[in-house]
């Protein structure tokens, strides 16, 4: 898919994210917006998931390890045709399928229930092993936050993935530099993620996580790597696309009011009445 097409989808995905969180008056906009370009390329250019094959295992799978960014996952599934637009307004409602963290029991295309940070990558390693044992050549992707990389389990999982040479696994780290309590470097420094990934035996790439061409190139390179997993460190901006949310840790887990929502949609080139 061309860069301009992907950019257009990503803008709509960001609007969907904001609509979910505004409707619920609850949720996590910052990290959902920062990873929107990564998710768009995954769902619309890289992975082979469709409405028809979503219930099966003969397709690429994604573990959304940063589960609090569920609004992004639901927006991507909606734009892919696996959810209806009206579903988005049920986000975080009582008895909804669209829970605050993804639940694989309710929605086709949600490949793992996540939310306990650090655990998703271990599930992805297990899926990579299962695919190898089953002779399934499809790929496994895992999306992590950089604050999440403070969890020791992340590095145990990477060590295992490298040891068993899971070249069918691609880990993407949404490196926006912020977490709920402020700057990642102030809470618990994790950099250099690139050097750590190399030291743990992985192939590593560091890219601009908002450059569609760079993202596509990174995924293409990951598919060519043999004998080791790939870790893509994607430098992003928390709250990307919304002027007053960008690089503000306070928007990690806060819903906009009506005035802010209107401004946010305008920032993305849309009509707040939509």
């Amino acid at each position: 898919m061309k860069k301009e097409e992907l950019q257009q989808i990503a803008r709509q995905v960001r609007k969907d994210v904001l609509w979910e969180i505004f409707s619920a008056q609850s949720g996590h906009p910052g990290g959902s917006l920062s990873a929107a370009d990564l998710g768009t390329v995954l769902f619309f250019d890289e992975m082979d998931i469709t409405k028809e094959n979503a219930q099966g295992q003969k397709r690429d799978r994604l573990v959304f390890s940063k589960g609090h960014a569920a609004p992004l996952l639901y927006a991507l599934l909606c734009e892919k045709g696996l959810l209806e637009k009206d579903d988005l307004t049920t986000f975080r409602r009582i008895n909804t399928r669209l829970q605050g963290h993804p639940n694989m029991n309710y929605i086709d295309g949600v490949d793992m229930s996540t939310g306990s940070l650090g655990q998703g990558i271990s599930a992805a390693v297990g899926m990579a092993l299962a695919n190898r044992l089953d002779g399934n050549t499809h790929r496994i992707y895992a999306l992590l936050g950089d604050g999440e990389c403070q969890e020791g389990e992340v590095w145990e999982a990477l060590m295992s993935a490298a040891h068993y040479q899971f070249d069918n696994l691609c880990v993407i780290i949404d490196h926006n530099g912020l977490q709920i309590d402020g700057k990642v470097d102030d809470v618990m420094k994790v950099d250099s993620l690139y050097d750590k990934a190399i030291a743990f035996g992985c192939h590593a790439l560091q890219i601009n996580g908002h450059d569609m061409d760079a993202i596509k190139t990174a995924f293409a390179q990951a598919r060519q790597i043999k004998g080791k997993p790939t870790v893509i460190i994607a430098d992003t901006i928390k709250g990307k696309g919304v002027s007053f949310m960008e690089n503000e840790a306070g928007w990690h887990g806060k819903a906009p009011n009506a005035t802010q929502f209107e401004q946010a949609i305008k920032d993305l080139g849309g009509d707040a009445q939509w």
Side-chain angles (χ1 to χ4, degrees):
M1 186 173 286
K2 294 181 179 179
K3 176 173 68 174
E4 293 76 16
E5 295 175 290
L6 291 168
Q7 289 172 333
Q8 183 175 353
I9 294 170
R11 280 193 294 273
Q12 184 58 52
V13 164
R14 286 186 165 95
K15 294 175 192 175
D16 291 345
V17 164
L18 292 167
W19 181 243
E20 292 175 71
I21 296 170
F22 175 68
S23 297
Q25 279 300 289
S26 179
H28 295 77
S32 296
L33 296 172
S34 65
D37 299 311
L38 299 166
T40 297
V41 176
L42 273 170
F43 271 86
F44 292 89
D45 193 79
E46 177 65 14
M47 299 193 303
D48 61 355
I49 183 173
T50 65
K51 188 174 183 178
E52 290 69 33
N53 69 13
Q55 290 185 325
Q57 295 184 3
K58 296 297 184 180
R59 62 168 176 82
D60 299 328
R61 285 180 283 170
L62 169 64
V63 178
F64 228 77
S65 193
K66 46 178 285 179
H68 55 280
L72 171 58
L73 179 56
Y74 301 146
L76 291 164
L77 291 171
C78 177
E79 295 304 319
K80 194 70 178 181
L82 279 80
L83 289 173
E84 301 295 330
K85 285 284 186 180
D86 288 346
D87 291 330
L88 300 183
T89 62
T90 71
F91 176 59
R92 287 198 167 198
R93 305 290 186 184
I94 298 297
N95 296 323
T96 184
R97 294 185 299 150
L98 276 62
Q99 298 184 11
H101 291 80
N103 189 320
M104 65 189 295
N105 297 306
Y106 300 134
I107 303 174
D108 293 343
V110 175
D111 292 316
M112 179 55 60
S113 301
T114 55
S116 296
L117 294 178
Q119 295 183 4
I121 185 172
S122 291
V125 169
M127 290 178 182
L129 172 59
N131 273 11
R132 175 182 289 178
L133 294 174
D134 292 343
N136 185 339
T137 59
H138 287 84
R139 295 179 61 75
I140 306 298
Y141 297 86
L143 178 65
L144 285 68
D146 48 3
E148 182 177 3
C149 293
Q150 295 160 347
E151 300 280 355
E153 186 176 355
V154 168
W155 301 101
E156 293 179 67
L158 275 182
M159 183 166 55
S160 297
H163 177 80
Y164 292 107
Q165 301 181 340
F166 289 149
D167 49 25
N168 58 345
L169 174 66
C170 181
V171 176
I172 309 108
I173 300 175
D174 179 19
H175 188 222
N176 61 42
L178 297 171
Q179 58 188 112
I180 190 170
D181 290 326
K183 294 181 179 179
V184 173
D185 283 354
D186 292 341
V187 177
M188 182 64 67
K189 185 176 176 65
V190 296
D191 285 328
S192 161
L193 291 169
Y194 178 90
D195 292 336
K196 287 177 180 175
I198 295 291
F200 273 75
C202 302
H203 177 68
L205 299 165
Q206 189 148 11
I207 64 168
N208 178 346
H210 300 305
D211 183 330
M212 297 298 190
D213 287 336
I215 299 169
K216 290 173 63 175
T217 298
F219 286 139
Q221 186 178 134
R223 287 196 301 273
Q224 301 303 314
I225 297 300
K226 302 302 178 186
K228 60 179 66 177
T230 294
V231 177
I232 299 172
I233 300 100
D235 297 327
T236 63
I237 297 171
K238 194 149 187 155
K240 175 67 174 177
V242 178
S243 57
F244 57 89
M245 291 186 183
E246 288 192 355
N247 278 323
E248 293 291 339
W251 285 102
H252 176 87
K254 183 173 68 173
N257 60 32
T259 301
Q260 291 166 331
F261 174 70
E262 181 177 2
Q263 179 59 53
I265 296 298
K266 287 180 178 179
D267 286 349
L268 294 167
D271 182 351
Q273 300 304 312
W274 139 100

